Amino acid sequence: MNRRFQIEDLIVQDSSGVVFHAIDQETGLPAAVRRLFPFGVNGGGLEAAEQEVYQLAIDKISEVKHPALRAILLGGIDPVDGLPFLATEWVEGATLQSFVDKEPLSSGEAVYLITQALEVCGLLSQTLGRESVWVETDLSTIVIGAAETGRGFTFWVSPMKCIGKNDGQRGLELIVTLVEHVLGWRGKAVLDQDGGGLGAWLKWLRLTAASTTLAQAREKLAESLNVAAPSPVRRAVRQAERSTPPKKLKKKSNLPAILASITGLGVLALGGFALIKWNESKLSSESVALAATEAPATEEKPTKKKKSAPVDPEPAPSSVPEPEPTPEPEVIVNKEAPPEAPIVLGETPEQKASRRAAEFLDISHKESTAKETKAAEQKAAMTEKGGVFTIADSELLASQDGTEVSLQGTLSEIGKSTSGKTLYLLFSQKAARNEARGSILISSVGADLSEESLTPLIGRNLKITGKIKVDTFQGMNRPLIVIEKRASIELQ
């Protein structure tokens, strides 16, 4: 790969490629370098014609700049093995997967994600001269920039599509899957009114994904949400900055300008989720087109708002500078808003976004500390037991997947799985479903581990030895001690 990048660490590797954390030696800034396996790990590199197509496409899309797209620094072909590589800016933050693992996105957050994805894909499609979902849509590849980056959702371009790979995934089916995942709607029937109108849009897209265009998807989204139709995407909203903080943008009268302004302040990132929630009630009367940040500013028409008694705002973290005086809190009632309305506005969006970001980081730190403490306690308990356990240690054993241990006790009965393919050695009468037990896969063992040969052991004190395999079902973790030979069962 190009000598411009000094590899620091391997981040992840799978059948599609490997990602490295690197240092761009021209700028001294961190970068993400992807070495791609177009035909799998052992499939080799690209042919000469494919290399030319790839290089041409990367050169073109390197000019596309958008805050929701990781800026491309360099792309090319490794002359040694013909494998393509792609270097992009490094965006510090958390993956979308880590957020969704905690709870699904709200409808406002999902709309923001969708509009960003469609807008970026629109820009890339204009540049390459053909429509496609040109970005990676797996939740683990979408990063929500940390607060100091000033970035919200950031996508990675999907380089293999540039040479015609993954042709079966050129339609908007990928957006359908993305939306189903982030809202928790996968495999579920949705109603038109779900998500403030997102349900109707998703139902339509499920039926038309293979044939509809990006522009049609944007227009239909606006129609389903009962908002103004979005403006066509002409060029990037702004160039993603790498060495200096984004400049503060002038506030405008629509939702896109508000989001862009907060991005400029560097708090959209994690805290931006709070801002999007704050704006959910406006989705039925504001445009979802983020490209509008290029349009001339317009004066905001006065609107009548229902006054309410003052509501004390939630305190901002002490690390946030004291804000300038803000207007008296108001309650905005919007009959067409999602179920969250009315929304009490007792602090500026900047304050709320910063507070939410600080809260998230604090929660993440506490969770990480708690996990480390629990892991240390479990390790100490395992050491104390000396490798020999009883069914009273079932919960501890369920945290030690893959560890070889011995389970000791009186064999009470021999059970079978529902399919009849597995025998269970149970060490208590009416064993609890999450209780540790011996496990024997009938098809992979000899006659000396058959039910008939083991039945005489019932009522005897045994010690069984094997690796733990954790069987997860219905929210429970059951440790199975896998037995593969008769010698793993000892009479005590």
Side-chain angles (χ1 to χ4, degrees), residues 61-206:
I61 61 179
S62 293
E63 300 300 317
V64 177
K65 306 296 181 184
H66 189 284
L69 180 68
R70 295 194 191 199
I72 295 175
L73 306 177
L74 187 69
I77 304 294
D78 190 323
V80 176
D81 52 23
L83 291 176
F85 71 89
L86 184 69
T88 68
E89 63 176 329
W90 180 272
V91 179
E92 196 67 45
T95 65
L96 178 56
Q97 183 69 62
S98 67
F99 277 85
V100 175
D101 284 345
K102 295 179 181 297
E103 62 176 334
L105 299 188
S106 70
S107 57
E109 292 162 352
V111 168
Y112 180 49
L113 174 68
I114 297 164
T115 53
Q116 291 277 276
L118 293 178
E119 182 170 303
V120 169
C121 290
L123 290 171
L124 293 170
S125 295
Q126 289 176 18
T127 301
L128 292 170
R130 53 196 173 108
E131 282 219 346
S132 179
V133 176
W134 292 104
V135 296
E136 306 279 9
T137 54
D138 188 281
L139 271 60
S140 63
T141 67
I142 302 170
V143 170
I144 303 163
E148 66 271 13
T149 68
R151 306 285 285 275
F153 297 112
T154 55
F155 295 89
W156 227 333
V157 71
S158 181
M160 286 300 91
K161 288 187 178 180
C162 298
I163 56 172
K165 300 299 176 187
N166 304 323
D167 273 341
Q169 299 178 335
R170 287 188 171 275
L172 287 164
E173 296 92 346
L174 291 173
I175 299 296
V176 170
T177 302
L178 174 63
V179 175
E180 290 176 337
H181 281 183
V182 300
L183 288 172
W185 290 354
R186 189 179 183 185
K188 297 180 180 179
V190 295
L191 302 177
D192 288 355
Q193 64 269 27
D194 287 347
L198 270 177
W201 181 76
L202 182 62
K203 288 168 64 177
W204 168 81
L205 194 59
R206 281 171 172 170

Side-chain angles (χ1 to χ4, degrees), residues 240-295:
E241 300 289 345
R242 300 190 71 249
S243 56
T244 58
K247 293 182 179 180
K248 184 176 181 179
L249 302 180
K250 186 182 293 183
K251 185 176 180 181
K252 301 177 184 178
S253 62
N254 53 16
L255 172 59
I258 293 173
L259 292 176
S261 175
I262 299 304
T263 303
L265 289 169
V267 295
L268 176 58
L270 303 179
F273 277 18
L275 176 65
I276 299 167
K277 287 181 180 294
W278 176 79
N279 277 300
E280 274 191 301
S281 65
K282 291 189 175 184
L283 288 176
S284 58
S285 58
E286 301 276 7
S287 170
V288 297
L290 300 182
T293 51
E294 291 190 341

